[in-house]
Amino acid sequence: MYGLVNKAIEQMVCGAHGPETWEQIKEKAQVDFEGFISNQPYPDEITYRLVAAASETLGAPADEILRAFGEHWVLHTALESYGPMMRATGKTLREFLQKLPHLHTRVELIYPDLKPPQFSCHDVSDNEMDLHYWTTRAPGLEPFVEGLLYGLGKMFSTPVRVELRQHREEGHDQSVFRVSWDAAA
Ligand code: HEM
């Protein structure tokens, strides 16, 4: 994945636990880069190793780290560095999710070697949508998507509930999330 992703993990860990903890995580993950370059692709394995080492060092399940990272990605990385692109994607949570399938097409203009996830989104009712997610990557990223969805809920002041209704690890080619929010929101 592009260095931007590993840099965002570094930023999240350093912000919450300080640079010494980040150094311990890098050592455990056997990653000895002195700072990642945002627009340079790195092997996916590095990102997965950093998450596993963060889980061990912080004594938290990897899924929890990925969920926190998803929220951090939306509320810090994406909004602070790509605010106009995020805001142009939708004015409400529903509109944003409807347009999500096209967001990484725009991101590809900045990062041409991107291997983007694929999404499709369907209305279930006035306050529920199903988000379908495809990826070519190694298993385990669903909690990251959950965290992204919680982050989007916060971005739009529309707190969401997320339920994983179909999991790629159970033999499907895609995972499906039911996203719901209070009808009044
Ligand atoms: C402007 C905002 C965004 C930017 C710049 C961005 C950029 C990226 C980048 C660089 C990667 C790594 C992929 C690679 O290097 O090949 C990535 C992965 C990913 N992005 Fe985004 N992204 C943005 C917003 C979002 C949002 C709002 C979601 C919400 C669901 C999302 C979902 C994902 C997922 C799930 C992955 C993991 C890759 C995979 O599943 O295969 N991104 N994105």
Side-chain angles (χ1 to χ4, degrees):
M1 294 203 219
Y2 271 102
L4 174 70
V5 173
N6 301 325
K7 255 179 111 150
I9 299 179
E10 172 176 4
Q11 199 193 38
M12 177 181 80
V13 169
C14 287
H17 305 281
E20 294 81 15
T21 307
W22 176 244
E23 287 308 316
Q24 284 170 23
I25 290 171
K26 279 204 309 182
E27 206 178 306
K28 207 180 276 280
Q30 297 181 317
V31 167
D32 57 5
F33 295 102
E34 254 336 300
F36 293 98
I37 300 164
S38 288
N39 60 0
Q40 182 182 308
Y42 294 83
D44 283 1
E45 200 203 328
I46 290 190
T47 310
Y48 284 77
R49 286 211 314 256
L50 286 171
V51 171
S55 162
E56 266 186 61
T57 307
L58 302 174
D63 287 4
E64 212 173 279
I65 307 273
L66 282 168
R67 262 181 223 111
F69 181 47
E71 277 206 39
H72 179 90
W73 181 263
V74 169
L75 298 173
H76 297 281
T77 317
L79 274 178
E80 285 166 16
S81 302
Y82 302 93
M85 205 192 292
M86 286 292 280
R87 279 186 280 275
T89 303
K91 290 192 178 58
T92 61
L93 178 67
R94 175 184 294 282
E95 192 185 325
F96 192 100
L97 292 177
Q98 283 165 340
K99 301 264 179 66
L100 182 61
H102 311 293
L103 176 62
H104 288 87
T105 311
R106 275 184 242 158
V107 175
E108 271 178 306
L109 299 174
I110 314 171
Y111 298 103
D113 292 326
L114 197 77
K115 286 196 274 156
Q118 304 290 325
F119 294 103
S120 79
C121 199
H122 310 277
D123 286 340
V124 177
S125 73
D126 284 353
N127 58 322
E128 288 172 300
M129 295 180 104
D130 275 348
L131 181 72
H132 295 243
Y133 161 63
W134 291 261
T135 175
T136 53
R137 295 201 150 85
L141 293 177
E142 278 70 13
F144 176 52
V145 178
E146 283 172 17
L148 288 158
L149 291 166
Y150 291 127
L152 290 171
K154 288 189 179 168
M155 172 181 162
F156 290 104
S157 305
T158 306
V160 291
R161 292 172 291 281
V162 179
E163 184 200 341
L164 184 56
R165 291 171 71 93
Q166 177 178 299
H167 202 306
R168 171 166 88 98
E169 280 159 33
E170 289 160 358
H172 303 279
D173 70 333
Q174 58 189 279
S175 291
V176 182
F177 301 85
R178 170 77 44 99
V179 188
S180 51
W181 56 93
D182 285 344

